Amino acid sequence: MAARNTAGPEDGDRDHGRDHDRDQDRETPVPQRLLAVATRLFAERGYDRTSVQEIVEAAGVTKGALYHYFGSKDDLLHEVYARMLRLQQQRLDAVAGSGAPVEERLRAAAADVVVTTIENLDDAMIFFRSMHQLSPEKYKQVRAERRRYHERFRALVEEGMAAGVFATATPADLVVDYYFGSVHHLSTWYRADGPLTPHQVADHLADLLLRSLRP
């Protein structure tokens, strides 16, 4: 019996679409292309099981191009997380300096860090799964970057405590550590096809934080 040809117009369209996607990829600036590929491969295979050669082949560039923008695979891992943290820091700085009542600012900041983490869930998952594999220098740098974010967030809690808006029974440090423990575990349980949207999760967690701080 002759084998049936299962390729039809739709298959050809899909092939054409993949070719178009590859053409578009080639138009993406090399650093962004490398980061996108590294993020995908680190998420699928794990950081330690992904080689530099696999990254450059998937990105369609040479090793020389990678090393021109990133000194090592370690630099790629650092940038995967650092780009998310830069976004979160910029948004926190804007919220904290907005002049709104401190309770509103803290709630907005608490919700935003949840939404931005979920929107960049692969980045968060990769980093917290692989951060121990960073070089000591890069690990120290990341800890300093995270500390700056947490300190700005904690300053909102302390501002509210000093103004009598928030309860002072629990130290601000412990409040912040407890909240970010929940945020850092989002990548272990949140699913895009689950019953809650990112904004719904953010609202619930931010409300829990604010209720815990009421006098």
Side-chain angles (χ1 to χ4, degrees), residues 74-92:
D74 187 64
D75 285 346
L76 275 169
L77 175 61
H78 174 261
E79 184 59 21
V80 164
Y81 183 66
R83 63 181 173 182
M84 180 177 73
L85 188 56
R86 284 195 298 270
L87 170 66
Q88 291 176 332
Q89 186 71 59
Q90 290 168 1
R91 292 168 71 111
L92 175 59

Side-chain angles (χ1 to χ4, degrees), residues 140-191:
K140 182 178 179 181
Q141 183 179 344
V142 165
R143 284 179 62 86
E145 291 164 350
R146 286 177 61 190
R147 185 164 57 251
R148 178 172 175 256
Y149 183 92
H150 286 191
E151 287 174 351
R152 189 70 192 268
F153 193 96
R154 187 185 67 223
L156 289 173
V157 177
E158 292 172 337
E159 180 185 341
M161 288 179 170
V165 177
F166 301 147
T168 58
T170 304
D173 278 341
L174 189 56
V175 171
V176 173
D177 287 345
Y178 184 83
Y179 188 72
F180 279 94
S182 300
V183 174
H184 294 160
H185 280 89
L186 284 167
S187 63
T188 67
W189 65 265
Y190 181 82
R191 297 293 178 270

Side-chain angles (χ1 to χ4, degrees), residues 9 17 36 47-48 53 56 66 77 107 111 119 129 132 164 177 190 193-194 198:
Y47 172 77
D48 54 342
Q53 185 61 38
V56 297
L66 184 149
L77 175 61
R107 193 190 186 287
E119 288 177 344
R129 188 172 63 188
H132 64 283
D177 287 345
Y190 181 82
D193 58 355

